[in-house]
Amino acid sequence: MPNIESTFAVLALWAVIGYLAGSVPFGMVLARVMNLGNLRDIGSGNIGATNVLRTGNKKAAALTLLLDGAKGAVILLLARVVTGAEDTALIAGLAAMIGHCYPIWLKFKGGKGVATFLGLLLAFHWPVGVGACIAWLIGAGIWRISSMGALVAAASSTFLILFSGRGDALVWGALLTLLIYWRHRANISRIKAGTEPKIGQKSA
């Protein structure tokens, strides 16, 4: 029989590692390094790639997107390789997502988690990740609103996980989806009011 205390300790350790890694605010770091100003004073005040794009620096936005996605993916894959346990990998990935949304370094005021979310799905099971990315492109392309792409991708991800044969991760996927919707509650209100900024729009 596995040692329950030992198993819990491993899960807790990877949860902490995932959270701290997810807490790294790459958007803020890149904005400072590239002299783009304080993201909190730009556009929506968010630290993610969409708001970085509002600075007019496409390179910084692309790097933010890549790094925010990679931090979730790398943690999940690393936990999977090191521990050989899928449940540990999923918990580490979920913790990374929480870290991005509620980073300790920024007084728990982080990003919306979309790039990290998509990175996690790609690392979890690449067909699910690709499907979610396509859903984002469709949603964002139709409405020209980044947050609509995120909401469509999040909504589709649970079904993609279910039909991918990875039903063991359905609860995990549902938690990520709920977190995306929770973090986008203000965006949802603005979408209903018709005041949500379009992609590339500099004003909030």
Side-chain angles (χ1 to χ4, degrees):
M1 276 182 77
N3 186 305
I4 294 178
E5 291 184 1
S6 176
T7 300
F8 178 79
V10 171
L11 289 173
L13 174 62
W14 279 99
V16 171
I17 292 173
Y19 174 79
L20 293 177
S23 291
V24 179
F26 284 114
M28 296 284 284
V29 173
L30 288 169
R32 176 166 295 185
V33 171
M34 301 175 78
N35 296 316
L36 302 178
N38 185 351
L39 286 183
R40 294 302 193 193
D41 299 325
I42 297 171
S44 65
N46 195 265
I47 65 171
T50 299
N51 203 44
V52 174
L53 184 60
R54 293 190 178 106
T55 67
N57 193 313
K58 294 181 180 180
K59 179 180 179 180
L63 284 173
T64 300
L65 181 68
L66 179 63
L67 291 171
D68 280 347
K71 67 184 179 184
V74 168
I75 284 298
L76 190 151
L77 293 172
L78 187 62
R80 179 183 284 165
V81 170
V82 172
T83 69
E86 190 65 12
D87 56 347
T88 302
L90 296 181
I91 287 175
L94 177 60
M97 178 73 168
I98 294 172
H100 177 81
C101 295
Y102 303 99
I104 190 172
W105 322 117
L106 299 178
K107 298 180 180 179
F108 307 104
K109 296 178 181 179
K112 302 294 178 68
V114 180
T116 305
F117 169 70
L118 294 175
L120 284 171
L121 293 180
L122 286 166
F124 157 69
H125 190 53
W126 72 263
V128 172
V130 170
C133 288
I134 292 173
W136 186 95
L137 289 171
I138 292 173
I142 291 175
W143 286 281
R144 302 300 300 169
I145 297 175
S146 178
S147 56
M148 277 301 297
L151 295 172
V152 171
S156 68
S157 65
T158 302
F159 297 99
L160 290 168
I161 290 173
L162 179 63
F163 293 114
S164 71
R166 288 300 308 272
D168 57 301
L170 194 57
V171 172
W172 177 79
L175 288 173
L176 290 176
T177 294
L178 288 173
L179 187 53
I180 287 288
Y181 270 76
W182 174 255
R183 294 296 292 168
H184 282 78
R185 61 195 186 279
N187 302 82
I188 293 171
S189 296
R190 288 194 296 269
I191 289 170
K192 291 179 178 178
T195 58
E196 181 73 345
K198 301 289 185 177
I199 293 175
Q201 185 175 330
K202 292 188 178 182
S203 59

